[in-house]
Amino acid sequence: MDDVGTLVAKPALRSDLISSEQCENVSQACTKGGGRKPYGAILLDSGILNGAALTRLLHDHQRRISTLIEDLFSRRILEKGFATEDALRDSHSPLGDIRLHGFDFDMLELLVKRNAISHQQATELRQYLRTQILICPVCLRTEPKNGHEGAVSCPECHEEFSPGASDRLMSKFVAVAAMFPGQKTDHQAGPPSTISNTEMGGLPSG
């Protein structure tokens, strides 16, 4: 199964939206088709999942990734003494309001605009996440990188860890969710992203 198929199948299994048998059947169909039809499309065509359920699954998972990344940023900010707990708490309400209206906004960007942290500190935080933290894109387990340069697999779900701010972690879910734009209702707007476009090499934020 390709990366995108894995990132659809494993969260669906963990959420009990599909069974192990259904997962295996779809994987076999994907293999027989030479990978020409995406895993998510086979799930839809087979009737195992409808478009709304699949899109909601992907968007909910993206939200969990974004929440995890914000938590990692917050802990690092407090460890380094860049800002106070009150400053972090005060940022949550406006972020929620902004996202409620369908707009995306970077947590660190907001903290910089409110003079809670500096541009240099925001850059340092993104660098720390990208170079020092590994995150499993399926179960969201985190591990310190500890000098690992090669591939490292998650001991829980055996998916390959991704650097905390890697494009693989976020953009794969964005790409799959984009396959089903017609199924997206107004209140299921795309998930918030805490990763800067600049830091991600210009990729669209989640």
Side-chain angles (χ1 to χ4, degrees):
M1 194 189 306
D2 62 17
D3 282 350
V4 171
T6 298
L7 296 181
V8 173
K10 289 190 175 180
L13 275 170
R14 291 175 67 86
S15 302
D16 295 323
L17 291 176
I18 63 175
S19 66
S20 297
E21 182 180 1
Q22 289 170 326
C23 179
E24 181 60 28
N25 289 341
V26 174
S27 297
Q28 289 177 1
C30 192
T31 301
K32 286 179 181 178
R36 287 186 295 274
K37 179 176 283 191
Y39 190 94
I42 297 175
L43 277 174
L44 295 181
D45 291 348
S46 67
I48 295 174
L49 282 182
N50 61 40
L54 180 57
T55 303
R56 186 164 54 251
L57 167 73
L58 295 167
H59 289 166
D60 286 349
H61 197 72
Q62 283 179 263
R63 288 187 181 95
R64 287 193 289 273
I65 291 172
S66 292
T67 297
L68 171 62
I69 290 174
E70 285 194 359
D71 288 345
L72 290 169
F73 277 147
S74 296
R75 288 201 293 270
R76 185 64 173 176
I77 286 170
L78 294 176
E79 285 174 9
K80 298 286 287 185
F82 289 164
T84 65
E85 289 189 30
D86 286 342
L88 293 177
R89 194 178 303 113
D90 289 345
S91 72
H92 291 159
S93 179
L95 275 175
D97 290 341
I98 291 168
R99 290 163 180 169
L100 186 64
H101 288 85
F103 297 100
D104 191 9
F105 209 82
D106 187 305
M107 169 191 173
L108 299 184
E109 207 175 313
L110 179 62
L111 289 172
V112 169
K113 287 182 179 295
R114 296 167 77 95
N115 295 316
I117 64 174
S118 67
H119 285 285
Q120 182 177 347
Q121 288 169 337
T123 299
E124 181 181 327
L125 288 163
R126 293 190 178 105
Q127 180 76 2
Y128 163 77
L129 185 66
R130 188 172 60 248
T131 61
Q132 301 299 320
I133 302 296
L134 297 172
I135 302 176
C136 174
V138 174
C139 71
L140 306 189
R141 179 188 179 112
T142 61
E143 298 280 355
K145 191 170 182 181
N146 285 339
H148 291 297
E149 295 301 330
V152 181
S153 295
C154 173
E156 181 175 343
C157 66
H158 310 296
E159 180 67 11
E160 185 178 321
F161 275 115
S162 296
S166 75
D167 53 0
R168 181 173 183 271
L169 184 62
M170 294 297 289
S171 68
K172 289 295 187 183
F173 288 100
V174 175
V176 178
M179 292 162 50
F180 311 104
Q183 301 291 337
K184 190 172 166 184
T185 60
D186 290 341
H187 68 278
Q188 291 172 336
S193 170
T194 59
I195 304 175
S196 156
N197 286 359
T198 303
E199 296 296 323
M200 293 281 286
L203 283 170
S205 60

